[in-house]
Amino acid sequence: TERKQAEESLRESEERWLFALEGARDGVWDWNPQTNKVFFSHRWKEMLGYDDNEINDTLDEWDKRVHPDDKAQCYADLQRHFSGETPFYENEHRVLCKDGSYKWILDRGKVTSWTKDHKPLRVIGTHQDITGRKRVEEEISKNEQRLAEAQRMAHIGSWELDLATNQLEWSDEIYRIF
């Protein structure tokens, strides 16, 4: 029947959506800013070391875990999206795990429905662990600092010329020398 076909189509669509998210290893959240109720997916909770029953369905569950140094920027980025400055919410911040450690999270979302007075009614997003990427970025930064310090101490600079674009880059020490 037509109803059975619609139900089957809906089930298949939901399977694709869940498979894509599980394959990406992302968590999902679905927030009603009017009530501050939030659905946190199993993967969202698992990423932070929690079982499903250990995290409730309120915004406070996220808010109290966001690193204090990152919280203001999270809310500023949300507000920029809510006001229409950005088409999506996107923020990288640290979130406290059950074991006391912090994970870096790439948080992305979008308002999917609005109230009549243009306030966000439903916001859906994903939560991706980017801790490994952040560690690599930090190591690269440390290595760049070590290289710059070694060049400064030895009074040796470096330069690079991209022949395809004719772009020339000099190290800080080359600038100092010349």
Side-chain angles (χ1 to χ4, degrees), residues 36-162:
N36 274 334
K37 293 289 185 188
V38 185
F39 163 79
F40 299 106
S41 71
H42 172 75
R43 177 67 185 133
W44 190 100
K45 297 171 187 178
E46 177 186 61
M47 199 179 297
L48 303 177
Y50 292 94
D51 289 328
D52 283 333
N53 62 344
E54 294 180 288
I55 293 184
N56 295 320
D57 64 349
T58 65
L59 183 65
D60 184 56
E61 293 287 354
W62 169 77
D63 181 82
K64 70 184 179 185
R65 289 176 175 83
V66 175
H67 193 283
D69 294 344
D70 302 337
K71 197 175 289 195
Q73 188 62 52
C74 289
Y75 282 105
D77 289 344
L78 273 169
Q79 189 55 47
R80 286 181 45 226
H81 175 54
F82 291 172
S83 69
E85 289 178 55
T86 60
F88 300 95
Y89 159 71
E90 186 170 327
N91 183 275
E92 293 180 2
H93 56 271
R94 292 162 287 182
V95 178
L96 183 63
C97 298
K98 185 177 179 179
D99 67 6
S101 67
Y102 278 93
K103 284 191 177 180
W104 276 100
I105 299 297
L106 172 58
D107 207 12
R108 293 178 172 147
K110 181 174 176 51
V111 175
T112 61
S113 62
W114 301 86
T115 64
K116 289 179 183 176
D117 57 344
H118 202 69
K119 294 195 184 327
L121 182 59
R122 186 175 187 194
V123 188
I124 300 174
T126 59
H127 178 101
Q128 181 181 29
D129 182 355
I130 58 168
T131 305
R133 187 193 88 201
K134 285 294 201 176
R135 284 187 186 131
V136 169
E137 289 173 358
E138 186 177 316
E139 191 60 36
I140 289 170
S141 178
K142 284 180 184 177
N143 287 338
E144 288 173 346
Q145 290 171 6
R146 289 180 190 126
L147 176 60
E149 182 63 14
Q151 287 183 349
R152 187 191 64 74
M153 292 171 63
H155 302 291
I156 299 171
S158 60
W159 58 272
E160 181 178 326
L161 176 62
D162 183 330

Side-chain angles (χ1 to χ4, degrees), residues 1-6:
T1 67
E2 196 172 302
R3 179 182 169 145
K4 289 275 189 197
Q5 288 175 337

